[in-house]
Amino acid sequence: MQLVLVVNSGSSSMKFQLIDIPNEKKLVRGLVEKIGMENSSYRIIAGNQIEEKQIEVKDHRQAVEIALDYLTHRSPVHLNSLSDIDGVGHRVVQGGSTFDKAAFVTPEVKEKIREYGIMAPLHNYANLAGIEACEALMPGIPQVVVFDTTFHQTMAPEVYHYGIPYKYYEKYRVRRYGAHGTSHKYVSEKAIEFLGVQAKGTKMIVCHLGNGSSITAIKDGKVVDTSMGFTPLEGLMMGTRSGDIDPAAVMFLMEQEHLTPKEMDEILNKKSGLLGVSGISNDMRELEDAMTCGNKRAELAHKMFIYRIKKTIGSYVAALNGLDVLVFTAGIGENNDYVREMICQDMDFFGIKLDAKINHGMDHLAEIGEKGAPVRILVVPTDEEMEIAKETEELVLSRSK
Ligand code: AMP
């Protein structure tokens, strides 16, 4: 059995999964929450066995210790020692333009992750804390980093540059990088496999619609464009993020409200989007509940969410010069048939025709488009951890060959 441990460290949390790669099976899943805060706790699930505890967790190192102690002592999946684990795959959010594939952890790689932390301060430093904890506690076990930005590295310069003085790209590397790349890669490859077609020659649009949302245009298995940019704030309107907004409106608000850059950042990232417009919730289910009770602002937020997705799909049909496959994934994309129906409404000009009956209630890997329509429409559940595990295993195996 080839086993990969996938680690996803956030600023105050650490998620991990032990995955049996050849069988694509999740053996153990765990979450350590509120690291460094009061009320920290963990929950680990293996089959029908659940272990949960309120326990002080000071830092990421202790979180990794909890995971490893469970895996080597109490897990129903028996490990003789940590060396039964073939590799550890770490999720890293921002890999800048340096990384076009997964990489082994080295001092140079860690330095780059630290350097790019300026673009993803909430994520990269926490990712690094998880990496360093695993390095210290699992000596000799290959540590691999898989970046959210890697899949988007195929975008052309005219797609990723902003129309600002070029010196800011040279000085600070300000450009579009995209995000959710691991999800877009996994989902697009699953779609190709499910349809039994070749990536080469296939034009696909993947809509990753969750609390964070992004859309990617893919041709020949390579990203042509993606809606997120320098940070995950660009593009669609999301749960709490504004998405695209005229930068002049941002400066105007800062002046009028005497806001610091940090305060404005907080408004655009945490208080905008579905939550900001509706004043109710960032959660699509709660928003739709409010709509059924006649709440007009909830309805407006919902319509804005849909409209921007339709507009982005339209622009990507232009970027791809056509479309063969449209895919929905993530929390909303996988579970919300109404949102899918609204997005696909009046899109027949593009050959997008949903089968309302099949779409209804669909929440697993399936084709939901009308038979014979020019564009095939799919629901494909995403699995970022599986993708990280696969890329980790590939890299580890390539070294041992
Ligand atoms: P994510 O960020 O991918 O976890 O997605 C979160 C969003 O997905 C929220 O707006 C939820 O309302 C929506 N969502 C998640 N699970 C479901 C579900 N089972 N049914 C309907 N909506 C869901």
Side-chain angles (χ1 to χ4, degrees):
M1 185 174 3
Q2 281 139 14
L3 294 178
V4 172
L5 181 68
V6 175
V7 175
N8 183 355
S9 309
S11 50
S12 63
S13 69
M14 191 202 77
K15 289 187 226 159
F16 66 92
Q17 293 191 359
L18 185 69
I19 300 181
D20 164 4
I21 276 293
N23 297 306
E24 296 203 3
K25 204 166 161 213
K26 310 242 171 134
L27 304 174
V28 181
R29 282 181 293 148
L31 168 65
V32 186
E33 278 185 297
K34 303 200 175 160
I35 299 173
M37 300 181 204
E38 280 178 24
N39 303 329
S40 41
S41 63
Y42 73 82
R43 181 181 165 89
I44 303 174
I45 304 175
N48 49 16
Q49 178 179 306
I50 300 178
E51 180 175 306
E52 31 190 352
K53 234 183 214 166
Q54 292 259 337
I55 176 178
E56 191 193 354
V57 186
K58 291 192 301 287
D59 50 22
H60 284 82
R61 185 184 168 114
Q62 199 187 334
V64 174
E65 274 170 354
I66 289 170
L68 299 183
D69 183 53
Y70 178 87
L71 291 175
T72 47
H73 291 101
R74 298 184 302 288
S75 162
V77 183
H78 184 69
L79 297 185
N80 290 315
S81 75
L82 288 178
S83 54
D84 285 353
I85 297 174
D86 298 293
V88 184
H90 296 270
R91 176 187 183 215
V92 178
V93 166
Q94 181 54 264
S97 37
T98 306
F99 299 99
D100 59 4
K101 54 180 177 305
F104 283 113
V105 174
T106 63
E108 295 75 34
V109 167
K110 285 198 289 182
E111 194 42 48
K112 279 285 168 202
I113 295 171
R114 201 169 286 119
E115 187 185 318
Y116 291 134
I118 194 168
M119 295 186 264
L122 289 179
H123 297 105
N124 269 32
Y125 304 128
N127 301 153
L128 204 51
I131 293 168
E132 293 189 325
C134 288
E135 277 188 309
L137 296 165
M138 309 173 77
I141 301 191
Q143 306 287 328
V144 170
V145 278
V146 178
F147 299 91
D148 269 10
T149 44
T150 296
F151 190 46
H152 303 307
Q153 283 297 302
T154 48
M155 288 192 293
E158 64 271 27
V159 177
Y160 67 67
H161 274 293
Y162 288 116
I164 55 174
Y166 197 79
K167 66 179 178 189
Y168 297 124
Y169 169 67
E170 293 176 315
K171 202 166 168 189
Y172 304 112
R173 296 282 138 192
V174 175
R175 50 157 278 187
R176 305 180 61 245
Y177 294 100
H180 289 149
T182 315
S183 171
H184 285 290
K185 181 168 190 287
Y186 177 84
V187 164
S188 57
E189 288 174 359
K190 266 272 172 246
I192 290 289
E193 187 188 312
F194 177 79
L195 293 172
V197 296
Q198 295 292 315
K200 181 116 193 86
T202 299
K203 297 169 180 176
M204 187 186 301
I205 293 177
V206 176
C207 302
H208 176 114
L209 308 177
N211 199 29
S213 296
S214 66
I215 304 193
T216 294
I218 300 164
K219 190 176 178 183
D220 302 331
K222 295 194 171 73
V223 173
V224 170
D225 200 350
T226 192
S227 61
M228 284 177 167
F230 180 58
T231 75
L233 184 55
E234 189 177 328
L236 304 176
M237 189 176 94
M238 312 177 209
T240 61
R241 292 178 216 152
S242 64
D244 290 343
I245 176 171
D246 182 346
V250 176
M251 291 176 293
F252 173 83
L253 286 176
M254 287 177 78
E255 270 182 21
Q256 298 301 313
E257 299 271 316
H258 309 293
L259 298 167
T260 63
K262 198 164 183 291
E263 286 166 335
M264 193 69 230
D265 185 82
E266 173 103 1
I267 291 171
L268 294 172
N269 271 296
K270 306 237 171 88
K271 298 184 180 164
S272 298
L274 298 177
L275 173 69
V277 175
S278 72
I280 290 173
S281 175
N282 61 308
D283 191 294
M284 190 53 92
R285 286 169 287 196
E286 290 174 26
L287 207 70
E288 289 182 351
D289 285 347
M291 278 165 62
T292 41
C293 299
N295 188 297
K296 292 287 169 214
R297 290 242 307 271
E299 195 183 322
L300 171 65
H302 199 278
K303 281 187 170 159
M304 288 169 70
F305 181 77
I306 303 287
Y307 179 73
R308 288 189 175 198
I309 294 167
K310 288 170 84 92
K311 194 162 85 164
T312 307
I313 291 173
S315 69
Y316 285 178
V317 174
L320 293 169
N321 186 24
L323 182 64
D324 302 307
V325 186
L326 175 66
V327 186
F328 291 101
T329 193
I332 298 170
E334 288 167 32
N335 297 293
N336 193 315
D337 50 8
Y338 178 62
V339 165
R340 292 192 300 252
E341 193 184 328
M342 290 298 102
I343 293 169
C344 294
Q345 200 172 61
D346 298 329
M347 296 281 264
D348 46 320
F349 177 77
F350 292 129
I352 296 173
K353 293 179 194 169
L354 198 69
D355 184 318
K357 267 206 191 122
I358 302 178
N359 177 52
H360 185 72
M362 186 58 72
D363 62 358
H364 56 264
L365 178 60
E367 188 159 3
I368 54 171
E370 262 182 28
K371 274 214 161 46
V375 175
R376 300 184 74 175
I377 311 174
L378 303 181
V379 172
V380 181
T382 191
D383 193 338
E384 288 168 281
E385 288 76 15
M386 191 60 75
E387 181 62 33
I388 292 171
K390 277 192 202 167
E391 292 185 31
T392 300
E393 187 66 10
E394 265 169 37
L395 198 63
V396 171
L397 287 178
S398 73
R399 189 165 73 172
S400 56
K401 266 180 199 160

